[in-house]
Amino acid sequence: MSKSLPQLKIVSRLHVLRAERRMTQEQLAKEVGVTRATIVAIEGGGYNPSLELAFRIARYFGADINTIFSIEEVTK
Amino acid sequence: MKRLDSILLKFFLYGIPAVIVFAAYSYFYSLGVVNHANVNLNFLNSFAGLVFALWMSLSLYLSVRLMVSGPFRDQVLAKLTFIRERDERESLLTGKATRTTFLTSLAILIFLFCLSCFQVSIYKLPSEMAVDGKTGIVSLGLGFNFLEHSKQDKPRETIEKKDIFSYTGLPVSNTTVILTIIVWQIMSYNYSMRRLTK
């Protein structure tokens, strides 16, 4: 019998880091090579970035990936 | 090859208005509106035929290239269907929209296949051919023909009957079905993409 896995949600602190550096979504998008819509989707929780993009964002901010993206268990 | 394909594609697209004009001219020529005795007008009709033949050959070549060449397909069909893959998120959305389009198209094709196989006939027989005193007949069937107008289609014997309702296969032409599927694919893809990007 398969055990039901807990539902997980990726939480992003991207907007906080961006605000600290006074960057626009457009500027960040340009820096990491995606569209502004993708940054909007990541910040809004509508899209989970690939590992490659997550590492690229972390490298750009000079931060650990865990400080930008964390995981939360969704309670029903 | 890429450069040649690009040039031929431009010829194909920019040739469409000329082909329409020549087709209209040939139509009027065949109706007899244009004076057949005039050598120049005769030549123009022949020239129109030649242009049309070349354009058709070009369209066949480009169709084959679309099937076999990945970069050419991406170049042409991406423009035709407004596909934009600027980053990983858009690639993911393209995949989702394509999946929806593929599945809905498949559903439509299955539906059309069922409709094309289905046969219904409601008719009345002459009173001398009545079965248990009943002359009204409802006939249901499924038919599948591998080839168009196959010999098996022709009935061996004909009976005099009064048709009330008869349905055999799709009442639309092959061209209409193909065009409908093409339009559906483009519309379905664009609708799915818009819905996903909201």
Side-chain angles (χ1 to χ4, degrees), chain A residues 1-74:
Chain A
M1 217 167 110
S2 65
K3 189 184 159 190
S4 63
L5 295 167
Q7 216 178 336
L8 301 172
K9 186 187 169 194
I10 292 177
V11 181
S12 153
R13 284 186 65 247
L14 203 56
H15 61 291
V16 179
L17 288 163
R18 200 170 49 74
E20 281 171 3
R21 296 194 180 208
R22 296 181 187 277
M23 279 185 95
T24 63
Q25 290 173 329
E26 187 71 55
Q27 285 168 330
L28 177 63
K30 218 172 192 178
E31 292 294 339
V32 295
V34 292
T35 59
R36 193 182 78 86
T38 299
I39 300 296
V40 172
I42 294 169
E43 289 185 359
Y47 174 66
N48 295 332
S50 67
L51 266 177
E52 187 193 336
L53 179 58
F55 274 109
R56 227 184 304 152
I57 291 168
R59 181 186 279 181
Y60 176 74
F61 284 113
D64 188 81
I65 200 162
N66 286 308
T67 60
I68 305 174
F69 301 105
S70 55
I71 246 168
E72 262 182 16
E73 199 168 313
V74 179

